[in-house]
Amino acid sequence: SHLTSNFAKLGAYTCAGGIFLWFFEDLSWVVAVAAIIPFVDAISVAAGPTKSIVTHHFEVYSAVAVTFVAPGGLAADLGPPDILFFALFLAAAVRWRLRPAWTWLGMTGMYSLTLVLANLVDVSGLPALPFLSAGFLLANGDLLWRRLRRKRA
């Protein structure tokens, strides 16, 4: 069923994000990724592979996307990278003793803002990773700044 498939995809992408974190040796790597992926995602959604898949092969996107239904029946489809990086940033917040609860709230809030904005401007989708990165960085910015400055000194 669609519901079972949706939860299986959510679990698989979440696990992939946790496994992906193993490759990160330092918190600065996570910060670098959080700074870079917004641009990559924006380009991909505006004129790259994501736009091509969503425009010409939506069935492929919908087969791999995880659907979240909001109150009122609105739905948001998040692609594998959206879930993977959510898990990566949340796991990084735990691993490096940042603010996991605030990280979760910030990223979830920013994803919700993405859904609201997409509906307000009546577009079929927006790049979600810029919002996700902002949620992670806003929740932990002061800690990240202090730790990265201390490491330099």
Side-chain angles (χ1 to χ4, degrees):
S1 88
H2 181 69
L3 185 60
T4 304
S5 168
N6 207 43
F7 277 107
K9 290 183 282 188
L10 178 62
Y13 304 150
T14 301
C15 288
I19 291 168
F20 191 45
L21 183 64
W22 290 350
F23 296 104
F24 287 73
E25 294 180 13
D26 192 81
L27 179 59
S28 63
W29 295 15
V30 178
V31 174
V33 167
I36 294 168
I37 63 168
F39 299 101
V40 174
D41 193 39
I43 292 167
S44 180
V45 170
T50 302
K51 180 178 176 127
S52 178
I53 291 169
V54 170
T55 304
H56 303 293
H57 308 285
F58 189 76
E59 66 282 356
V60 172
Y61 179 75
S62 63
V64 298
V66 176
T67 302
F68 291 90
V69 179
L74 296 174
D77 289 325
L78 295 177
D82 302 328
I83 305 298
L84 184 143
F85 283 109
F86 189 102
L88 174 89
F89 291 148
L90 189 56
V94 172
R95 178 177 173 184
W96 280 288
R97 294 185 176 95
L98 300 173
R99 296 184 183 108
W102 285 109
T103 300
W104 184 88
L105 283 170
M107 293 188 307
T108 302
M110 293 303 277
Y111 268 166
S112 299
L113 180 60
T114 306
L115 176 63
V116 169
L117 288 174
N119 284 299
L120 281 176
V121 296
D122 197 27
V123 295
S124 60
L126 289 174
L129 294 180
F131 293 87
L132 176 75
S133 291
F136 171 73
L137 295 171
L138 288 171
N140 300 294
D142 61 321
L143 296 175
L144 296 169
W145 177 257
R146 277 184 269 169
R147 290 185 191 178
L148 295 176
R149 281 191 54 204
R150 193 174 358 167
K151 188 173 179 182
R152 273 185 163 177

